[in-house]
Amino acid sequence: MILVTGANGQLGRRIVQHLIARAPALLGGQLAVSVRDPARADDLARRGVHVRQGDFSQPESLARAFAGAERLVMVSTDGPRALRIAQHRNAIQAAREAGVRHILYTSFMDADAAAPTELAVVHKDTEAALADSGVAHTIVRNTLYADDLCLQVAPDMQQDVLRLPAGDGAVSLVSRNELAQAIAAAALAPRLDKRVYTLTGQASARYADIAARIARVRGKPLRYQDVPVDDYIRDLIDHGLPAWFAAALGDMFRCVGEGRFAATTCDFAALVGHPPKSLDCLIHEFYAPRNPS
Ligand SMILES: NC(=O)c1ccc[n+]([C@@H]2O[C@H](COP(=O)([O-])OP(=O)(O)OC[C@H]3O[C@@H](n4cnc5c(N)ncnc54)[C@H](OP(=O)(O)O)[C@@H]3O)[C@@H](O)[C@H]2O)c1
């Protein structure tokens, strides 16, 4: 049985959908999810997915949630650093005690740096905990979600300046949905050749270039402006983001500026069988004006 954690989240739910699409036979009792609120996974239960309650902050819930799982797709949680580190360690220990044979963990680019970005520090710790656990595991390091561009370019789309502290650094973006597709493929693979897969776009691009491409597609000007990281963090806090998260994003874009999110690999294609969508294709999906139906 394959068990996916975090299946009420945006990535976890898409992983489950791709698993079902690729292997419908799993619905005959071989697919389970663990979520904090089972009522929100009713649709999955109706389709034949075993829905279990599990909270990484409550280890006793995980013993029940993970029982009988052979493969665990462990989706990283959100929240401040210390909380996530403890949660991930709880989940790994519970998986080991439940006899899980293989853990597939959704990590983050930069997790192997000597001094990883604030967001990647958690993943570095979790990768180390997996190595110490003795449980066979595969690490899938995700690049930045292309979907988040929609938040960076204000949701009302009226903004004409994309302000980020990313300097001249390039990023390789992939949509959440495609990342989920690759993770589902990895979870179903009879054999995985690598211990660490790094999922990136086909190519990387600088934010000045990304802004120009968005402008072309939406038919409205958009230019990139590099801003000081402290101004960016203050702005996010003024707009209601928790201080820890604002600081973590500021740190991440600083590292983008250092070129640490620019790498590209062929790992997506190795898992899925074809490359991920091009940046232009993604931008078109997110920004092309919709014809009223
Ligand atoms: N690569 C990137 O650009 C990027 C961007 C944002 C986030 N991330 C990371 O990727 C993860 C998945 O992304 P997403 O888009 O699905 O985020 P999301 O929609 O905000 O979902 C958050 C996920 O965290 C889980 N979670 C939170 N607290 C938990 C706890 N105490 N116990 C168990 N699970 C808990 C949730 O599980 P439930 O199903 O129980 O709600 C949910 O699956 C995030 O949590 C974060 O670590 C990566």
Side-chain angles (χ1 to χ4, degrees):
M1 183 170 70
I2 298 179
L3 187 140
V4 182
T5 73
N8 281 339
Q10 301 168 82
L11 181 70
R13 180 58 63 102
R14 286 172 172 85
I15 295 171
V16 174
Q17 287 161 347
H18 282 291
L19 283 170
I20 295 171
R22 282 181 170 255
L26 286 175
L27 290 174
Q30 289 307 304
L31 183 59
V33 296
S34 119
V35 291
R36 287 168 299 168
D37 178 4
R40 288 183 49 225
D42 253 1
D43 56 319
L44 295 180
R46 280 197 300 274
R47 294 186 72 182
V49 177
H50 294 298
V51 176
R52 288 140 174 221
Q53 202 278 335
D55 185 327
F56 287 10
S57 288
Q58 295 167 358
E60 64 290 356
S61 73
L62 298 179
R64 286 189 303 273
F66 294 172
E70 281 149 20
R71 282 202 158 197
L72 179 77
V73 180
M74 179 178 154
V75 174
S76 59
T77 63
D78 54 5
R81 178 208 285 216
L83 177 74
R84 290 207 294 163
I85 285 178
Q87 288 175 338
H88 291 174
R89 286 184 170 261
N90 286 343
I92 292 166
Q93 189 177 338
R96 191 171 55 76
E97 288 169 5
V100 167
R101 294 221 204 102
H102 191 111
I103 301 174
L104 199 138
Y105 172 64
T106 65
S107 185
F108 191 43
M109 268 180 92
D110 202 46
D112 59 347
T117 53
E118 170 62 25
L119 288 169
V121 166
V122 172
H123 300 285
K124 187 179 178 105
D125 182 88
T126 306
E127 290 189 11
L130 281 167
D132 292 344
S133 72
V135 181
H137 59 277
T138 304
I139 288 159
V140 181
R141 291 188 186 141
N142 290 338
T143 186
L144 303 189
Y145 295 162
D147 316 47
D148 288 349
L149 270 178
C150 301
L151 302 175
Q152 290 151 14
V153 180
D156 63 7
M157 302 282 176
Q158 296 309 313
Q159 180 187 344
D160 60 6
V161 185
L162 172 58
R163 291 187 182 83
L164 295 173
D168 223 8
V171 282
S172 65
L173 302 171
V174 180
S175 68
R176 256 193 201 90
N177 189 47
E178 293 175 284
L179 292 169
Q181 186 184 9
I183 293 161
L188 289 169
R191 192 175 62 89
L192 289 164
D193 293 329
K194 298 171 73 169
R195 194 183 64 81
V196 179
Y197 288 83
T198 303
L199 301 180
T200 73
Q202 293 179 31
S204 54
R206 297 187 167 82
Y207 277 103
D209 181 22
I210 293 172
R213 289 171 193 239
I214 294 174
R216 268 201 299 280
V217 167
R218 71 175 189 167
K220 258 189 242 166
L222 183 71
R223 74 185 163 81
Y224 168 65
Q225 185 186 354
D226 180 29
V227 293
V229 69
D230 289 343
D231 293 2
Y232 173 77
I233 293 171
R234 202 172 322 111
D235 205 33
L236 291 182
I237 293 172
D238 288 348
H239 279 83
L241 238 68
W244 72 265
F245 192 41
L249 288 178
D251 180 54
M252 185 185 81
F253 283 114
R254 179 186 61 75
C255 294
V256 167
E258 291 172 4
R260 285 159 57 180
F261 288 82
T264 56
T265 72
C266 295
D267 287 354
F268 181 97
L271 290 171
V272 177
H274 57 75
K277 291 174 185 167
S278 68
L279 179 60
D280 279 332
C281 180
L282 291 169
I283 287 177
H284 203 269
E285 264 182 40
F286 296 141
Y287 292 102
R290 304 265 174 262
N291 288 327
S293 50

